[in-house]
Amino acid sequence: MIVVLHPNASEEKVKELHTWLESYNVKIAPINGVHKSVFGLIGDTSKIDINAIRAYDIVDTVTRVQEPYKNANRKMHPEDTVIDVNGIKIGGGNFAVIAGPCSVESEHQIIEVAQRVKAAGANFLRGGAFKPRTSPYTFQGLRAEGIELLLEAKKVTGLPIVTEIMSLSHLDLFADVDVIQVGARNMQNFELLKELGHCKKPILLKRGLANTIEELLMSAEYITAGGNTNIILCERGIRTFEPTTRNTLDISAVPILKKLSHFPVIVDPSHASGITWLVEPLSKSAIAAGCDGLIIEVHDNPKAALSDGAQSLNPDEFDGVMSSLKKYIQAENKVM
Amino acid sequence: MIVVLHPNASEEKVKELHTWLESYNVKIAPINGVHKSVFGLIGDTSKIDINAIRAYDIVDTVTRVQEPYKNANRKMHPEDTVIDVNGIKIGGGNFAVIAGPCSVESEHQIIEVAQRVKAAGANFLRGGAFKPRTSPYTFQGLRAEGIELLLEAKKVTGLPIVTEIMSLSHLDLFADVDVIQVGARNMQNFELLKELGHCKKPILLKRGLANTIEELLMSAEYITAGGNTNIILCERGIRTFEPTTRNTLDISAVPILKKLSHFPVIVDPSHASGITWLVEPLSKSAIAAGCDGLIIEVHDNPKAALSDGAQSLNPDEFDGVMSSLKKYIQAENKVM
Amino acid sequence: MIVVLHPNASEEKVKELHTWLESYNVKIAPINGVHKSVFGLIGDTSKIDINAIRAYDIVDTVTRVQEPYKNANRKMHPEDTVIDVNGIKIGGGNFAVIAGPCSVESEHQIIEVAQRVKAAGANFLRGGAFKPRTSPYTFQGLRAEGIELLLEAKKVTGLPIVTEIMSLSHLDLFADVDVIQVGARNMQNFELLKELGHCKKPILLKRGLANTIEELLMSAEYITAGGNTNIILCERGIRTFEPTTRNTLDISAVPILKKLSHFPVIVDPSHASGITWLVEPLSKSAIAAGCDGLIIEVHDNPKAALSDGAQSLNPDEFDGVMSSLKKYIQAENKVM
Amino acid sequence: MIVVLHPNASEEKVKELHTWLESYNVKIAPINGVHKSVFGLIGDTSKIDINAIRAYDIVDTVTRVQEPYKNANRKMHPEDTVIDVNGIKIGGGNFAVIAGPCSVESEHQIIEVAQRVKAAGANFLRGGAFKPRTSPYTFQGLRAEGIELLLEAKKVTGLPIVTEIMSLSHLDLFADVDVIQVGARNMQNFELLKELGHCKKPILLKRGLANTIEELLMSAEYITAGGNTNIILCERGIRTFEPTTRNTLDISAVPILKKLSHFPVIVDPSHASGITWLVEPLSKSAIAAGCDGLIIEVHDNPKAALSDGAQSLNPDEFDGVMSSLKKYIQAENKVM
């Protein structure tokens, strides 16, 4: 950590800051410049709140030079983390496709979709039981019953299931779920993240609409802090001024997350764009950028979908997308 | 709601859409243009998911012409909502100042700060017991004990207390809290909002970092849907590309929220800027824009603060800010 | 265009608006709803300023249903525009790579780089003669001399040259330049665009940092309005809150621009990211998203570059990138 | 400037960087930490391109600790710059209101508006002669004739005139203009800025839609580099994700610009919001934040305006706004 002081800081105030910093067990190496004085802090600075240093009025700027995350950091864990769900793997050269409807709506619907996406080559089934909806007046999900139906579809097809948790208080209902998804709106629901750190299940952690790459990794760090390192990171678009797409897919986040962290990285082209016909080009693009998997919305009848119809493929369209992706997965030397 | 169709939509597909729309009990009034066909939907469209209409491939654009919120809408409730906490009022010409430390740290600290902010003219005490922190390695708040200490400070000073809830599972601990704060990161924690709709306490609802004004009002709508209309809206800065400030205070949101909704609107200049010396000019600015109150961070010793020191005023600075605000509150014909 | 009126608009005011709208030679088809009145405008609305309608206080919202651009619109011109520069083509299945240094610095440098990028497979040479620099104290380009040196490099290698114009007053100096680049900061320099509309040369038009896809197409429309339809569109990253990359590459813009418009679309991974090692994954990603070419910064000695060293590949790195791109260009059935 | 190296940088590479940095006549003071090595650069670093340092692959991060602008920096020039136009002053406690139509449309219109805004208390007349319009099919301004009409209105009312330049090639037409405006889209038209640095007229420099506060000050620096220090800075809203307003007024930029720089700072509530009824609350808010003036659009008949009607006040509304602002200007101890 580098601390730059105001040019005219009094000796007394500098001493006060010095003493306080030393209480964190870091060594302080000064540089004396012409206009400014600068401290370098040497040692483990992860416990120091950067804003606490800024509270000293003699401080001009503070810059972190080490990443604030440890367990999530590839420097501490150079090999790829591979998530293994009943033998189906994500990461380390293994490519996964998670597909299914935005919301679970009925037994018929979820089984029909599960069979179709499996036939097309998907290896996980997604489906929302608890649904975060902007309006309290629209469909809120089948909740506990939705999870039952997903487990039914798993029994029929063998596909492991991925579904979103919206509240700690529902955790017991997720006992048989294979991968627990934390949605974009809950990426910084820290109480939820802490609790998920104590379970052993893989967590699919989506980036928030306005969260930086570093904040996503800090949220992963929260989960690891409890002991759970089964984490899949997901880029799903960020909010910008561009109105054509629902969000702006930050494709650069894929290679950056792969470099900074050892966790597998997947992309959600459905939520990133909100537009059906963009799912194919964005999926190809994400594979070429180095992602380890995709999560795609597929509905047996998008027009009748109770949520997110505009961005859901129908099963025939999904067949087309899957067959067009194959050569890109191969080009990246990944297996599925 | 206005639905614009693609120019070459087949008659059959148009009929299919027609039938589906009618299932929502709305009347459909067509316009026939040269290049496009357009439907106007007449009636209560709040239950129709706009994305479901977009899922029809013959649909080009859909525009809502009525706000999707009802209870939060000033059109339905033209008078200002006034929140009354033990006789202290916010809204309807009543101005409130909520002040206190980012985190409750000790009995001494919270009582000292409470006494000082009261003396300076604040009428509510804030303090974080549960703290959302980006890093799992920094101070997470005193939690239940923090609430105890706030109640202690209330006993000493008489100031009603405002503190943030981070999880539904902690709700019982908030039984004696006067105003429950929902933080920016939980603005779309819909399960939490629903539950808060069933309690009677005033809710201070902060705008999320990347949430629109309409989304803030939809989150307020969630709370009202359960029956609780004691809501205070809070603008606290949005995330933009500008790096000088922690967030960008969206000052226009103040008059817009006042126009669209009947709830009181307060501003948080401390989180909006993250910089102590900006608190005064931003507070004056917010009052002049028409807000009903302010929430300001004050710490007895900002340099030793366990969180957010860089944006906390010390009690002497807060005295200065409060006395400079008086003429602006008067200029707006508000009472405190 | 759909105009929604306030529910209580007086008959007199509605009539006034009617009369004014009819002065634009459009037909007005009304819908009468329960809460609102709505007009549909039928005919050529491109001359109506949408803000002028909003100036009527009885108007609630106005929505355009036809794109405001015509010449740039694929609906008016379904076939791909192919740009042909001395037999080298971009668009319509032809893939181009434009490579070279940020700034032309010396005869030795530009010829060395030109030879190396040609050997690696690039088919255009780029190089800045006039340089838009944030600081007046850093290198501003060799200006007229820079163009001379580019022409020298063209003579030696045969590569057509692409260079940026920063002011109308320099236009004469561009007489022998093959492709004139309009940089991101000049995307809405409308006087410049108008003048470029009167020349016959291909224009490489870069998207502005904060400009929407529609605004980019409107700037292309400005050029076409003067008669020049030799336009290459370029996505080069937009400004967002994410600090890791210099800009955020909006990869979705590639398929969207290809759908809305008939012009070739290229991507600039160097400026989009500002980071050398991201150029390869972003280039692959852009090809998979459907772009027609790339523009990449290559410098013979990036560390000594007078501008943008941090995002320039050296010639050996560029060799590596080019050979890794081949299979992706083939996968998209494009030729180079 | 602080340069942080990668932990395993070879001695040879560190030496190479050392030698190169010394070529800029700065002293290099090293700190040796446990994980990283750090250099502090001491001396005048304004000529060093920060990206050139990043081009060294052993460099991890580079942070500037001195502002890159000098002439615009309050540290170099502690007193407020006061702009004096024929005795009418802006800055240093002098408050100015610049008002008038978006576009000059006719002699009758501009004289009518000039007389009305003067009567209401404005001290400058604005009016667009050259108009930057997104669409080539909408009104582009009266151009040279527009400037003639502004001068006519000046003759009648005595108000000095402010109008926008869109191209260097028009500079001769601005000989009798009192204040030359550089619009948001030209804030980084560096060739234009350089040329304006050679004239003596006051320049009203608007912040670009996606430009940071530092970039605005660097553009001011460009003008000063040519010798012209008569600069008025203008905050006019930045582009964000919020759709309710045309732009988001960055109110914090006002006190920050006043602190970092000595130039007067004005606010444009009309362009910032794009909504007539927001002009009054945003104007009050801007005054309370410490601005030195306002620029407001006023049209004698907004509904018939050839541009920006939706954000223009009519003269009666402007009377109302002006009288409501007086107590805020007084509260800030400014004179008009």
Side-chain angles (χ1 to χ4, degrees), chain C residues 1-71:
Chain C
M1 216 179 246
I2 306 292
V3 182
V4 178
L5 305 183
H6 284 308
N8 317 319
S10 74
E11 221 171 297
E12 183 198 18
K13 288 196 161 193
V14 174
K15 216 166 182 177
E16 181 192 15
L17 174 59
H18 236 270
T19 309
W20 179 77
L21 286 169
E22 282 172 340
S23 73
Y24 280 95
N25 282 320
V26 292
K27 267 203 293 183
I28 298 168
I31 317 180
N32 294 302
V34 173
H35 297 289
K36 304 261 177 173
S37 279
V38 179
F39 286 169
L41 304 192
I42 300 161
D44 178 6
T45 59
S46 68
K47 289 198 182 69
I48 306 182
D49 181 1
I50 201 165
N51 282 315
I53 303 180
R54 290 187 183 124
Y56 282 79
D57 57 10
I58 58 167
V59 170
D60 197 5
T61 62
V62 191
T63 313
R64 226 178 237 294
V65 298
Q66 280 172 274
E67 295 85 4
Y69 44 89
K70 301 177 198 176
N71 303 327

Side-chain angles (χ1 to χ4, degrees), chain A residues 207 209-213 238-245 248-252 255-256 259 277-278 281-282 284-285 288-289 327-328 331-332, chain C residues 207 209-213 238-245 248-252 255-256 259 277-278 281-282 284-285 288-289 327-328 331-332:
Chain A
R207 180 179 182 184
L209 276 82
N211 287 112
T212 61
I213 289 171
I238 56 174
R239 198 161 253 191
T240 71
F241 62 83
E242 173 58 50
T244 314
T245 42
T248 296
L249 179 62
D250 180 7
I251 196 74
S252 313
I256 291 170
K259 185 171 197 190
W277 69 266
L278 281 173
L282 294 184
K284 294 193 301 180
S285 182
K327 57 184 165 186
Y328 294 89
E332 291 291 315
Chain C
R207 181 179 181 184
L209 275 82
N211 288 111
T212 62
I213 290 170
I238 57 174
R239 199 162 252 190
T240 70
F241 62 83
E242 173 58 50
T244 313
T245 43
T248 296
L249 179 62
D250 180 6
I251 196 73
S252 313
I256 292 170
K259 185 171 197 192
W277 68 266
L278 281 173
L282 294 184
K284 295 193 302 181
S285 182
K327 56 184 166 186
Y328 294 89
E332 291 292 316

Side-chain angles (χ1 to χ4, degrees), chain B residues 25-304:
Chain B
N25 282 320
V26 292
K27 267 204 292 185
I28 298 169
I31 317 180
N32 294 303
V34 173
H35 298 289
K36 304 261 178 175
S37 278
V38 179
F39 285 168
L41 305 192
I42 300 161
D44 179 5
T45 59
S46 68
K47 288 197 181 73
I48 305 183
D49 181 1
I50 201 165
N51 282 314
I53 303 180
R54 291 189 183 121
Y56 282 77
D57 57 10
I58 58 167
V59 170
D60 198 5
T61 60
V62 191
T63 313
R64 227 178 237 293
V65 298
Q66 281 171 274
E67 295 84 4
Y69 44 89
K70 301 176 197 178
N71 302 328
N73 199 326
R74 193 178 274 277
K75 287 180 191 158
M76 308 295 172
H77 186 302
E79 297 80 32
D80 283 356
T81 285
V82 180
I83 305 296
D84 185 326
V85 182
N86 312 332
I88 301 171
K89 292 175 181 164
I90 312 180
N94 301 284
F95 196 87
V97 174
I98 303 168
C102 178
S103 301
V104 180
E105 295 170 14
S106 69
E107 185 173 352
H108 172 79
Q109 174 237 25
I110 193 67
I111 289 177
E112 165 79 9
V113 174
Q115 288 173 326
R116 290 294 307 266
V117 300
K118 186 182 182 186
N123 33 21
F124 286 85
L125 175 67
R126 62 148 289 156
F130 294 90
K131 294 302 307 169
R133 305 301 303 278
T134 308
S135 167
Y137 306 122
T138 51
F139 179 60
Q140 305 276 315
L142 293 181
R143 305 171 72 90
E145 189 196 339
I147 293 182
E148 290 308 312
L149 296 180
L150 281 166
L151 292 170
E152 203 61 44
K154 178 183 175 178
K155 213 181 295 170
V156 175
T157 59
L159 292 179
I161 59 174
V162 180
T163 194
E164 178 171 354
I165 191 165
M166 281 179 62
S167 177
L168 255 184
S169 55
H170 305 149
L171 192 52
D172 289 348
L173 298 169
F174 285 70
D176 297 322
V177 166
D178 297 291
V179 177
I180 302 179
Q181 176 179 321
V182 175
R185 293 179 181 82
N186 279 310
M187 191 201 92
Q188 294 195 319
N189 183 336
F190 299 118
E191 295 294 313
L192 178 61
L193 299 178
K194 280 181 200 171
E195 196 64 30
L196 294 176
H198 297 306
C199 77
K200 292 269 159 285
K201 283 185 193 302
I203 308 299
L204 193 169
L205 179 64
K206 289 191 149 190
R207 181 179 181 185
L209 277 81
N211 288 110
T212 61
I213 290 170
E214 184 172 298
E215 286 169 346
L216 172 59
L217 292 172
M218 289 307 287
S219 287
E221 190 79 9
Y222 257 96
I223 298 171
T224 65
N228 186 353
T229 56
N230 279 314
I231 298 171
I232 302 163
L233 302 171
C234 180
E235 162 60 34
R236 45 78 74 209
I238 56 173
R239 199 162 252 191
T240 71
F241 62 83
E242 173 57 52
T244 313
T245 42
R246 188 163 160 178
N247 296 289
T248 296
L249 178 63
D250 181 6
I251 195 73
S252 313
V254 175
I256 292 170
L257 286 168
K258 293 294 295 176
K259 184 171 197 189
L260 297 178
S261 168
H262 48 89
F263 295 124
V265 175
I266 68 169
V267 168
D268 178 344
S270 306
H271 283 87
S273 65
I275 298 174
T276 310
W277 68 266
L278 281 173
V279 170
E280 180 173 327
L282 294 184
S283 294
K284 294 193 302 182
S285 184
I287 296 168
C291 74
D292 300 298
L294 295 164
I295 177 164
I296 296 178
E297 287 195 358
V298 180
H299 194 284
D300 57 329
N301 182 8
K303 293 173 206 170

Side-chain angles (χ1 to χ4, degrees), chain B residues 207 210-213 240-243 245 249-252 255-256 259 277-278 282 284-285 288 327-328 331-332, chain D residues 207 210-213 240-243 245 248-249 251-252 255-256 259 277-278 282 284-285 288 327-328 331-332:
Chain B
R207 181 179 181 185
N211 288 110
T212 61
I213 290 170
T240 71
F241 62 83
E242 173 57 52
T245 42
L249 178 63
D250 181 6
I251 195 73
S252 313
I256 292 170
K259 184 171 197 189
W277 68 266
L278 281 173
L282 294 184
K284 294 193 302 182
S285 184
K327 58 184 165 187
Y328 295 88
E332 291 292 315
Chain D
R207 181 179 181 185
N211 287 110
T212 62
I213 289 171
T240 71
F241 62 83
E242 172 59 51
T245 42
T248 296
L249 178 61
I251 196 74
S252 313
I256 292 171
K259 184 170 198 191
W277 68 266
L278 281 173
L282 294 184
K284 294 193 301 181
S285 182
K327 57 183 164 187
Y328 295 88
E332 291 292 316

